[in-house]
RNA sequence: GUGGCUGUAGCUCAAGUGGCAGAGCACCUGACUGUGGAUCAGGAUGUUGUGGGUUCAAGUCCCAUCAGCCACCCCA
């Protein structure tokens, strides 16, 4: 029994119908938000050569976190840890044939060999959405607006989640002003990224370790405290103006400490969080120029974001926004009175199906009590019975499990009755 | 990859300082030889995550391992 069940692979999840319904529902909201802005769905292979990721991505993502294994021919295969390189290749291959600005979105599984924990598994689903071929703050704002649209459709309000925005070029120019050399830029970005995770003292010590002078540290702290820093960036000024016009401004907020981990972001970056800061980022994205050139295409600017299925589900649970997803497999169950009436029951089930109702038929003769109990278990609303009495009068018995009312009616009146009973 | 907590029937959990493994819910059967979620009466269930070790004796102690959770790392 239990000791014989082969365990699932670490960090993977079994999607029972209830959780599968959540995944499907998320997919539907993502689709709705994407298509509302004119984005087309696409997908790539789940298996990719490791070389695709060697070109870019964060080094750790490929070296430490990707599932890599040799296929039977000896080639190294990767279970895709992210979609962006695949997107870059797909675009590079047909660059001359595609209409830009290109708006594409996707939802599918990804794999990363990490230690599972809250909001993070080794196999997860992710929504990716990108616009390629333009380099405008307005395009950036549109992507943020798509994210906001998703939250709105999912029932998450600006009081519960927000999208924090910053711009790397802005931060670069400010760091220039502090005379922090480009060589140290990466370390300083990491420092900024970790501000809220460390104590103030530890953070300042860390700043000293990466070579910041007290004056530079002071300047940096002033930067990170300046909520109006964005007003000095023409890109961000236009970004917020466009977001306002798009009706997404209430979800957006400038946040000087948001910098994002991935190296390839070049301009505006953003991430969504629950406002209590309880969970990790719900989505993350930004402008990444030169991506397509990295895989051999012509240079092409782009902006996009990714949202995993796990954190957003936690947030939706926290705020009680997951809809009741307990739809029964079928609202109608046809019982099998006994072995002699099995085919009669099946003929009835087929007729009702042809009328357009989803119908489950009991798959073998069994006591009616057992079949009624089963009907109640699966959440069926109506139970149909054709036994000897009904057959003799060309009738069907219909029991409404909610009201417990039962009537026997002629077959030609059945459909009308079913429509009426299931209408509410 | 580093550190911490946890692991007992399908589920939630019990089993003073080591002494023959239990309850509730759920499940199955029957009362109800044409009817459900109610009631009542019965019933089945675990090599206590796995593998070693200490002991006369281990769910209970020790070691290892696996899994889950949490933090770090990284990020969705």
């Amino acid at each position: 029994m239990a000791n014989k069940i082969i365990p699932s692979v670490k960090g993977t999840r079994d999607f029972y119908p209830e959780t599968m319904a959540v995944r499907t529902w998320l997919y539907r909201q993502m689709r709705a938000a994407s298509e509302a802005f004119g984005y087309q769905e696409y997908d790539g292979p789940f298996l990719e050569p490791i070389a695709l990721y060697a070109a870019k991505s964060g080094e750790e993502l490929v070296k430490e976190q990707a599932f890599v294994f040799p296929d039977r021919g000896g080639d190294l295969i990767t279970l895709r840890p992210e979609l962006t390189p695949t997107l870059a290749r797909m675009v590079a291959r047909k660059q001359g044939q595609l209409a830009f600005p290109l708006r594409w979105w996707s939802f599918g599984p990804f794999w990363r060999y990490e230690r599972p924990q809250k909001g993070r598994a080794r196999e997860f689903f992710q929504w990716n959405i990108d616009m390629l071929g333009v380099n405008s703050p307005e395009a950036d704002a549109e992507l943020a607006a798509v994210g906001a649209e998703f939250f709105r459709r999912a029932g998450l309000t600006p009081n519960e989640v927000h999208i924090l925005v910053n711009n790397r070029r802005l931060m670069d120019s400010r760091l220039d002003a502090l005379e922090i050399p480009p060589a140290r830029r990466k370390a300083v970005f990491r420092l900024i990224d970790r501000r809220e995770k460390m104590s103030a003292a530890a953070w300042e010590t860390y700043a000293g370790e990466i070579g910041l002078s007290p004056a530079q540290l002071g300047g940096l702290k002033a930067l990170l405290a300046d909520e109006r820093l964005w007003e000095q960036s023409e890109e961000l000024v236009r970004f917020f103006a466009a977001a306002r016009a798009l009706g997404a401004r209430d979800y957006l907020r400038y946040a000087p400490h948001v910098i994002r981990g991935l190296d390839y972001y070049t301009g505006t970056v953003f991430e969504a969080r629950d406002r209590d800061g309880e969970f990790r980022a719900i989505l993350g994205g930004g402008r990444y120029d030169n991506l397509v050139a990295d895989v051999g295409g012509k240079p092409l600017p782009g902006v996009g974001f990714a949202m995993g299925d796990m954190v957003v589900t936690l947030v939706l649970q926290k705020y009680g926004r997951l809809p009741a997803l307990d739809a029964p497999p079928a609202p109608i169950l046809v019982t099998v009175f006994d072995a002699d009436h099995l085919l009669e029951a099946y003929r009835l089930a087929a007729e009702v199906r042809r009328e357009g109702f989803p119908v489950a038929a009991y798959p073998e003769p069994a006591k009616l009590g057992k079949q009624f109990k089963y009907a109640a278990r699966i959440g069926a609303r109506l139970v149909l019975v054709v036994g000897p009495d009904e057959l003799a009068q060309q009738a069907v018995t219909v029991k409404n499990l909610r009201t417990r009312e039962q009537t026997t009616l002629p077959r030609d009146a059945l459909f009308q009755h079913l429509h009426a009973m299931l209408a509410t």
Side-chain angles (χ1 to χ4, degrees):
Chain A
M1 282 282 290
N3 54 340
K4 280 188 180 173
I5 295 175
I6 295 169
S8 47
V9 172
K10 179 173 182 159
T12 61
R13 293 167 289 165
D14 290 331
F15 287 87
Y16 288 85
E18 304 77 38
T19 41
M20 188 64 207
V22 171
R23 192 172 109 194
T24 305
W25 180 82
L26 280 176
Y27 191 9
R28 213 173 283 140
Q29 310 313 313
M30 290 164 180
R31 173 184 301 283
S34 304
E35 293 182 348
F37 283 78
Y39 287 69
Q40 292 176 286
E41 188 175 16
Y42 75 102
D43 206 349
F46 298 175
L47 300 176
E48 291 282 13
I50 190 167
L52 180 67
Y53 305 97
K56 53 146 260 19
S57 297
E59 282 190 15
E60 169 149 356
L61 189 60
V62 181
K63 289 182 183 161
E64 310 288 344
Q65 297 184 349
F67 275 84
V68 179
F69 52 88
D71 66 13
R72 290 178 187 276
D75 293 329
L76 280 181
I77 300 297
T78 305
L79 279 168
R80 63 180 189 184
E82 61 163 333
L83 190 60
T84 308
T86 301
L87 168 65
R89 180 191 60 214
M90 288 172 67
V91 171
R93 274 184 177 168
K94 298 189 105 182
Q95 204 159 355
Q97 303 162 54
L98 298 169
F100 296 96
L102 186 76
R103 290 179 164 105
W104 283 5
W105 72 278
S106 184
F107 178 76
F110 295 87
W111 295 265
R112 291 185 195 172
Y113 196 81
E114 293 186 287
R115 197 98 160 228
Q117 57 181 270
K118 194 174 191 180
R120 192 170 78 185
R122 288 186 172 181
E123 179 179 72
F124 57 95
F125 287 77
Q126 188 169 279
W127 176 30
N128 286 269
I129 181 161
D130 295 87
M131 170 153 43
L132 300 181
V134 281
N135 183 3
S136 73
E138 289 73 24
D140 300 348
E142 175 175 304
L143 266 295
V146 173
E149 177 66 16
F150 169 83
F151 290 137
R152 192 173 288 124
R153 286 175 185 267
L156 291 168
T157 70
N159 290 325
E160 291 154 352
V161 298
H162 54 189
I163 301 173
L164 304 174
V165 182
N166 196 6
N167 185 286
R168 283 197 168 183
R169 258 188 289 275
L170 170 64
M171 296 310 280
D172 266 327
S173 75
R174 297 299 98 177
L175 296 179
D176 280 343
L178 292 173
E179 297 183 327
I180 294 171
R184 227 170 260 150
R185 209 50 60 77
K186 225 167 142 178
V188 173
F189 276 168
R190 165 164 295 195
L191 176 72
I192 293 171
D193 195 43
R194 298 178 69 175
R195 176 90 189 266
E196 300 197 326
K197 291 182 181 174
M198 305 174 74
S199 70
W203 189 75
E204 295 193 7
T205 304
Y206 181 42
E209 284 167 7
I210 65 170
L212 288 191
S213 70
Q216 289 172 324
L217 176 59
L220 184 58
K221 284 167 74 175
L223 275 187
L224 297 181
D226 186 356
E227 305 256 310
R228 302 183 62 176
L229 190 62
W230 63 276
E231 294 173 5
Q232 300 174 31
S233 161
E234 196 216 328
E235 279 184 58
L236 284 180
V237 169
R238 285 171 57 187
F239 173 94
F240 282 115
R244 185 179 300 281
L246 289 168
R249 186 64 178 86
D250 48 350
Y251 279 96
L252 302 179
R253 199 175 132 203
Y254 177 69
H257 66 276
V258 166
I259 211 75
R260 303 302 305 159
L262 292 171
D263 295 342
Y264 55 69
Y265 291 126
T266 53
T268 294
V269 292
F270 53 88
E271 66 184 33
R273 295 201 167 257
D274 71 298
R275 296 198 63 165
D276 298 340
E278 182 179 344
F279 304 107
R280 65 186 77 239
I282 302 166
L283 66 81
R287 172 155 296 281
Y288 52 84
D289 297 331
N290 303 325
L291 208 62
V292 176
D294 289 344
V295 298
K298 288 181 214 153
L300 194 62
V303 56
F305 69 81
M307 181 168 102
D309 69 310
M310 298 188 72
V311 175
V312 71
T313 299
L314 290 172
V315 173
L316 285 161
Q317 265 164 0
K318 172 179 173 179
Y319 292 110
R321 294 297 145 71
L322 284 176
L325 299 165
D326 49 3
I332 299 172
L333 180 88
V334 175
T335 57
V336 174
F337 186 79
D338 59 24
D340 292 337
H341 295 79
L342 187 145
L343 295 181
E344 193 55 44
Y346 277 30
R347 276 189 285 271
L348 172 64
E351 272 179 49
V352 178
R353 251 175 232 128
R354 258 178 252 122
E355 180 67 11
F357 297 102
V359 175
Y362 206 81
E364 63 181 358
K367 285 187 182 175
L368 279 183
K370 189 175 179 184
Q371 299 185 52
F372 270 79
K373 193 169 183 180
Y374 176 74
R377 281 292 299 271
I378 65 172
R381 292 179 60 184
L382 305 178
V383 175
L384 307 191
V385 181
V386 261
D389 298 349
E390 287 84 0
L391 208 52
Q393 354 165 356
Q394 290 287 310
V396 177
T397 293
V398 180
K399 178 157 186 180
N400 185 326
L401 290 188
R402 290 190 187 169
T403 64
R404 298 177 167 239
E405 289 166 346
Q406 177 172 318
T407 52
T408 298
L409 55 158
R411 276 198 119 132
D412 50 21
L414 178 63
F415 293 155
Q416 195 185 349
H417 189 69
L418 294 181
H419 279 295
M421 296 199 78
L422 291 176
T424 50

